[in-house]
Amino acid sequence: MGMLKGANVRIPAQVVRIELGWRTGPGVPDVDASALLLTSGRVRSDADFVFYNQPRHPSGAVRHEGKRSDGADVRETLTVDLGALEAAVGSVVIAASADGAAFGQVPGLRIRVLDAAGGAELARFDSRDATVETAFVLGELYRRQGQWKFRAVGQGYSSGLHGLATDYGITVDDPAPVPPPRATAPAAPLRPATPAAPVTRAPVARPPEPRPVPPARPVRVTLTKAAPAVSLAKQGSTSGTMRVNLNWQMVRPVAAGWGQRLSQAMAGPAALDLDLGALFELTDGTKGVVQALGNTFGSLHQPPYIHLDGDDRTGAVESGENLTINLDHAGAFRRILVFVTIYEGATSFAGLHATVTLQPQRGAPVDFLLDECTVPSNVCALALITNNGGDLVVQREARYLVPRRGISPQRTLDEAYGWGLTWTPARK
């Protein structure tokens, strides 16, 4: 089935074949497919990067099968055994890089997910809006409530494979600097050779070579009610990306009687579905929302420069829910309100234990805990990021709101913070 950018579909097969395809021709660059196995949005080591020069993951769950062509049609294949993936792996990102040119010059770029057993097509995404990107994330396999789903991503990197790799935590060796040529002293005038008396030199004590001092680790900043705000620029977070993570678990009160406890145990864990999102306002006046509801996942390298890359329905996924903000375009933001809503499974946040972490690619991480919810709230404003003279300032909100009857959680946020958007019903 053809998919729109940001859409997702359940994958019922245990072993899938991922086909990356395109049409070759004059001026079309060669394309290489790869897979990144992510835990908390990043690889655990370089071994979690599977590509043509490292074709098999140590677990055996992901394999690079090589490239085939049928006339002008080229296909590169990876096999993913979803059942064999380690429990720590929350998602598998399918990416590609173009050799020496941009993906805007690659016609027919597409990704297909096939059932490896019978070859049935389970998902398909045709990318049509690539321009200057030289590395591209086409899709993502991710866990959701004990099942696997596929999301059509379609996000690129103009910085190439280097930018994609470092964004997901892969070590990329920079080329060694070439030492400057040594200065040559002018030649001394020639003189007749004369016998020289032997000279005995006393040993000279030399100081030990100074050891390089490792750079100081960034100090984690924890926001509290007494100190609720921090400047990203003062923390050294002025470029790259910043991942906003919500990690949570729901703790139900223990039932008093043994009969109630037995019923509670038989019922199993509550399937609470929380959704992380963001209201944004850009300096050009553009306003909108990034959230899973309505499949409005945003974009990292074009407005609004915010992308939602996680959807944890139970809190069991280690990476939780994630938003990524492109700090290279910090000047484009006027304000960003990060929020969380309950999509299903509960009517309030009572019993929620959650931590919000803002992890810049450069600079110190910022985190804070959510207060205990004491009101019947299904929407919480987490953090407000505002542009203060070019510096982005993070303000801890941790504010539970109670919608009026018939008013959506998103509209409740809008009214509380004066965003001025028009809201219509949507689903995911």
Side-chain angles (χ1 to χ4, degrees):
M1 72 178 92
M3 301 175 66
L4 297 176
K5 185 175 179 177
N8 57 71
V9 64
R10 189 175 71 88
I11 301 299
Q14 176 169 315
V15 182
V16 294
R17 192 169 73 249
I18 309 293
E19 281 189 0
L20 177 70
W22 69 96
R23 294 193 306 275
T24 190
V28 177
D30 192 22
V31 175
D32 293 310
S34 57
L36 299 96
L37 286 70
L38 304 184
T39 300
S40 300
R42 298 171 70 81
V43 297
R44 296 162 296 182
S45 71
D46 292 356
D48 284 342
F49 184 40
V50 177
F51 65 114
Y52 64 89
N53 210 28
Q54 187 170 274
R56 182 182 175 88
H57 188 262
S59 68
V62 182
R63 301 189 307 274
H64 186 281
E65 306 287 4
K67 190 176 299 182
R68 295 182 179 181
S69 59
D70 183 9
D73 189 69
V74 185
R75 297 183 304 278
E76 192 160 9
T77 304
L78 297 115
T79 299
V80 181
D81 187 342
L82 299 172
L85 283 169
E86 301 148 294
V89 176
S91 62
V92 179
V93 167
I94 308 301
S97 59
D99 186 13
F103 274 99
Q105 298 172 242
V106 180
L109 183 63
R110 64 193 182 275
I111 184 172
R112 299 172 69 215
V113 182
L114 308 173
D115 185 343
E121 183 178 275
L122 305 175
R124 175 179 177 133
F125 171 57
D126 293 85
S127 177
R128 298 184 176 90
D129 56 357
T131 54
V132 299
E133 301 88 352
T134 52
F136 220 73
V137 176
L138 284 117
E140 175 190 26
L141 292 161
Y142 65 99
R143 296 183 195 264
R144 179 172 176 176
Q145 204 174 10
Q147 298 180 335
W148 283 93
K149 301 192 75 175
F150 173 79
R151 175 179 295 124
V153 178
Q155 298 288 336
Y157 291 76
S158 58
S159 53
L161 191 59
H162 184 285
L164 183 149
T166 54
D167 197 25
Y168 288 107
I170 298 172
T171 302
V172 179
D173 294 328
D174 294 320
V178 178
R182 295 184 178 182
T184 303
L190 295 176
R191 295 181 181 177
T194 56
V199 178
T200 303
R201 297 182 182 273
V204 179
R206 297 180 180 272
E209 291 289 331
R211 294 184 178 182
V213 179
R217 290 176 175 263
V219 179
R220 179 178 294 271
V221 178
T222 299
L223 302 181
T224 63
K225 290 182 179 178
V230 66
S231 159
L232 290 181
K234 291 180 180 179
Q235 300 299 317
S237 308
T238 57
S239 62
T241 59
M242 179 171 69
R243 194 175 297 272
V244 183
N245 172 264
L246 173 68
N247 211 316
W248 59 273
Q249 66 180 98
M250 197 70 182
V251 179
R252 295 189 297 180
V254 178
W258 69 268
Q260 291 177 326
R261 293 185 185 183
L262 179 60
S263 298
Q264 189 180 80
M266 292 177 65
L272 177 64
D273 181 5
L274 297 186
D275 281 339
L276 187 66
L279 293 175
F280 64 84
E281 181 180 1
L282 306 183
T283 53
D284 65 2
T286 303
K287 299 179 181 179
V289 63
V290 174
Q291 60 177 358
L293 196 64
N295 291 325
T296 52
F297 290 94
S299 178
L300 192 60
H301 298 286
Q302 57 188 8
Y305 307 112
I306 306 170
H307 181 237
L308 175 65
D309 56 2
D311 189 10
D312 178 12
R313 295 200 67 174
T314 66
V317 178
E318 184 179 349
S319 61
E321 295 266 340
N322 296 279
L323 278 166
T324 305
I325 300 173
N326 191 339
L327 297 181
D328 290 337
H329 295 274
F333 301 122
R334 180 168 293 159
R335 56 177 178 160
I336 304 169
L337 179 66
V338 182
F339 65 88
V340 60
T341 62
I342 298 176
Y343 181 68
E344 62 183 14
T347 57
S348 90
F349 285 110
L352 176 74
H353 291 193
T355 303
V356 180
T357 303
L358 292 83
Q359 178 63 68
Q361 189 175 347
R362 304 176 181 90
V366 178
D367 64 13
F368 60 89
L369 297 174
L370 288 187
D371 299 325
E372 183 180 354
C373 179
T374 59
V375 294
S377 169
N378 63 352
V379 56
C380 179
L382 300 176
L384 182 63
I385 304 172
T386 54
N387 190 329
N388 185 6
D391 176 20
L392 295 183
V393 176
V394 179
Q395 170 83 29
R396 176 188 187 271
E397 294 292 302
R399 179 183 176 189
Y400 295 104
L401 301 173
V402 181
R404 305 191 312 274
R405 182 181 295 274
I407 302 299
S408 69
Q410 290 83 355
R411 184 176 168 186
T412 300
L413 279 167
D414 185 314
E415 293 176 351
Y417 287 86
W419 232 266
L421 297 175
T422 301
W423 297 92
T424 57
R427 65 179 184 176
K428 58 178 180 177

